[in-house]
Every structure is written in structure tokens, then in C-alpha cells.
Amino acid sequence: MSKSTILRGTLLLTGATFLSKFLGMIYTIPFESLVGASGAKLYGLAYGPYTIFLSLSTVGIPLAVSKFVSKYNSLGDYKTSIQMYKLALRFMLVTGIVAFLIMFLGSDLLAKLYIPKEAVGITESDVSMVLKMLSFALLIIPIMSITRGFFQGNESMGPTSISQIVEQIVRIGFLLVAVLLIIKVYNGSTTLAIGFATFSAFIGAIASGIVLIWYWKKRKPYIDRQLNQQVTTYKLSTRMMFNELFRYAGPFVIVGLAIPLYQQIDAITFERTMISIGLTSSSYIDNAFSTINFYGHKLVMIPITLATGMSLASLPTLTKSFVEKNREQLFKQINQSLQVVLLLVIPAVLGMSVLSSEVWGAFYGLDKYINLNASLLGWYAPVALFFGLFSVTASILQSISQQNYAIISLIAGLLLKGLLNIPFMHLFEAKGAIIATLIASFVTVILNIMRIKLAIQFSLRQITKRTILIGIFTAIMVLVVLLSKWVLRFWISYTDGRLASIAILTVSVLAGASVYLWLSYVSTLLEHVLGSRIGFIDRLFKRKRA
């Protein structure tokens, strides 16, 4: 695979993932106006276990298939690649059915786990019904994911990108139409509306599957020509293929499980703890939980999607540098991967923190819980930085054959989150759950970085110096943002309504981002971290590079 092909494919997948995440954020605006905080809480409670069941049913195999197919195609053994795809397809069919049955039949037990007996509002039967409707997606998505992995292994990123976007568009379209009809036209219950909202995952998966079938028929002649050109056959047994596949798969499932496992700790402990400290209002609990678990989470995940995508672009060649013992190139790639996340995410999340009231007002409008929701968003935004860094450091550990350590660090983080969650909520109420996540995710990142340092004698000097520089530029940016807010308050305030929030947000973000971008550019920080990818910034500042 040529370097240009890797870059083009990575950019295509990153763009598709970013668009998918962006659509997944934008739809929450009309969704919130239709179902409110209680609907989002019910939606989030269902999606937590669904995400875990999906990760466990696929066990990282789609991406592992991509790596397996790419390896044996490069060796000229296309037959083994096809055999692996067919085996994985059957395996995913079985695991998908098993995951569906467990989630569908175990929905009542899961509902009891989430809803305490003394809770007011959402009931166990509400959660159980929504879990059942969401579980049907598990019958299709694992099979669909394997086909995406096969195409990616054949250096064909289009099927994954297009199917991913189609899936999201159809899912969101069905979701919004169903919720609108049930709530506004037929005066149905919020629970029924959320049930159909979660069922949209199944509808979106069908649409994505149709796209992948079309691509398969279109690419089939090319695959047949590859098989006819077969020059080498390794004749691997089924056991040997699965052994190799699961070696590749482990780290991928760890990264996928990290966030939903943190959220599950909140799902189980949040409402019980709030009630135990005397905060029994269902409206307060629903607003706080939906901000942390759904609405706020959707917002803070946007900054890390693009950053981690760009960061991971250099990782396909990292394993090669490690195997070839090219330490200089290996260290350069690791430094760049980590610094891309720091450069882009630190200013984004701190900017969101200081503008949390305006962000919330712009997206979800103003209500009596605006201060609570905005405050929680401001605390939650920095968590995105550590989620992004965990994703990248776990991938780096895999590339240097230290993937098992990512499991250890994740378990350590989850244990710490579990130990701190309830005591911190007693001390700090709802934001205590966020502080516990912040500390736990920070610890996992530190453990991963220290393992990388010890395993390959990686120096942290460069990344420390540039992190300090990024911190200084971000502090200046925050001052500019605060100054912009202070000047604008003589004319408007976010409390004047959604349009006022949008106006303040637009002016403040443009002012802060421009200053941060300019400082990073003139200091050559951008060029050192992003390299040739800053051409558009050169044109923006009308300065030709030497």
C-alpha cells in the first residue's frame, strides 16, 4: 500500500467518521426539544449496555479482519483472505444472535440494575421495553462490520465511509420522524417515542447493509481476478486463522469499551446516590444524568473525533518502524500522534468549558436547569481530552507489542472510577461523577504513557515542552474569549435567548481560535506538529513557507 493511498484512505475514513459524529450531535437539537431530559436519560440507559454488547459481540474482529486481509493480500495469498472473511462472517452471525438474545431476554434484569425502587419517573418497564427494541440492531451490525473490515483490508475505504454516512442519515431520519409523529401527532408517550428512537439503529443498519451489498456486487469481479492471480497459499487451518485474528482483535475491543464502561458505572450509581443525599427531584436527576451521559457527551466528543482521526493516520507505519528497529522514525511518529491530539483538543475543550453556558444555550435553548446543565458541561468537556489520549496511547501500545498493558490500565481506571464515584457525588453532588471520570481517565493515560516510555525508552522531553507551549497559547486564547464575552455583555447576554447565545458563541470562538491559530503558526508549533498539512493556514495568513 503506497503512502498516498494510506493517507487518502485515512482522510476519507476520518472525514466520514467526523461527518457521522457531527450528524449525531446536530440531531440532538430537535430531539431535545421533543423528548427533553427524561427522554435522553432513557435513551442513554439503553445505549450503554447496547454499546457494550456490540463491542463484545464483535470483539474487535472487524478491524482485526482488516489487518489480517491486508497482510495476506500483500503476500499474494488472496484465498486465505477470502477464507478468513467467510469464517469471520459466520462467527459474527453467531455472536450477534447470542448478544441479541442476552440483551433481549435480560432486559428486565438490566432495568432493575439501573432503576432503584424509590425512583420517581422512568420505570423498570420503560427501560426494559427500550432495551428490547434496541437489541434487534445486534442481529445485523456485527455482520455489516465484518464486511467493512474486509473492504478496508483490500485498501477500499469507500464502502465503509459511504455506508457509515448512509447508516447515520437513515437512522437519524427515521428517529426524528418517528419521535415527531408519536409525540406531536398521536400524543403518544415519551417511552414509546424513545423505543422507536432506539429501533432506528436497526433501520440504519439495514440501509448500510444494502450499500455494502451493492459495493460487494460491484467489486466481486475484481476479487475474482485476484483469486485467479494467486501465487502463494499458506494453507492455514481454521484454528490458526482464528488464533491470529484474536491476537489482532484484543486491543481494538479495549478502546471501544472504555467510554461505555465508564458510563455504565454512572448509570448504575448516579440516581441511587442522588436520592441517598436528598436530591430526590426526578427533573433534577434526569437533567444532570442526561447532560453527563447524552447531551453533554455528544458535544464534547466532537473535538476529539477529528483530532484522534488525524493522530491515528500515522499509526499504520508505526508497527513497521518498531519491527525494523528504526527508533528515530518510531519516536517521531509517536510524538506526532500524541501532539496532534494535544494541539487540537486542549484549546477546544477548555474553550467549551468557559463558553459552556453559551454552548448549551445555542444548542438546547434556555430553561430553568440551564445553570446546572451548563455547569456540568463545563466540568465534563476536559474529560474528552483524556478519552482521546487513551484511544491513541492504546493504539500505540498495540503497535509496539504492549497491547496487554492497555487492558491493565483500563481496569485500573475503571476500579478508580468505581471507588471514587459515590464518595465524590456525596461531596460534589452531580459533578462528582464527572470529577471521578476525569481522575480515572487521567490515570489510565499516565499509565499508558509511562508504559510506552519504559518499553522503548521513549523520551517525554519534546512532548512536555510542546504541551507547556500549547498550555500557554490556550491560556491566552481563554483570556481573549473571556474578554470577548465581557465586551459583548454590554449589548447581549446568553440569557436573552438562543440567538443571543449563538451570537456570543460565534464571536468568542472566532476571536479565540484566531489568536490560538496565529500564535501556533508564528511560533512554528503548527508546522512541527502537523507538517505539510498546514498549507491552507499558510494561505490564510498569506505567508509562503521556505
Side-chain angles (χ1 to χ4, degrees), residues 12-13 16 144 147-152 155-166 208 211-216 218-219:
L12 186 62
L13 283 177
M144 182 183 69
T147 305
R148 285 176 176 172
F150 177 76
F151 279 123
Q152 287 173 226
E155 303 177 20
S156 181
M157 307 303 174
T160 296
S161 303
I162 301 300
S163 67
Q164 188 174 316
I165 293 170
V166 169
S208 178
V211 172
L212 290 171
I213 290 170
W214 180 81
Y215 268 109
W216 178 266
K218 185 180 177 182
R219 303 286 169 86

Side-chain angles (χ1 to χ4, degrees), residues 20-21 23-24 163-173:
S20 181
K21 293 283 186 183
L23 291 172
S163 67
Q164 188 174 316
I165 293 170
V166 169
E167 179 185 5
Q168 189 74 312
I169 290 172
V170 171
R171 184 185 74 84
I172 291 171

Side-chain angles (χ1 to χ4, degrees), residues 344-380:
L344 299 178
V345 178
I346 288 178
V349 298
L350 291 182
M352 188 176 290
S353 288
V354 298
L355 290 168
S356 59
S357 296
E358 289 74 18
V359 171
W360 192 272
F363 278 89
Y364 305 124
L366 307 178
D367 59 25
K368 66 177 182 178
Y369 288 103
I370 176 66
N371 292 329
L372 170 67
N373 295 331
S375 173
L376 293 176
L377 176 62
W379 278 93
Y380 192 69

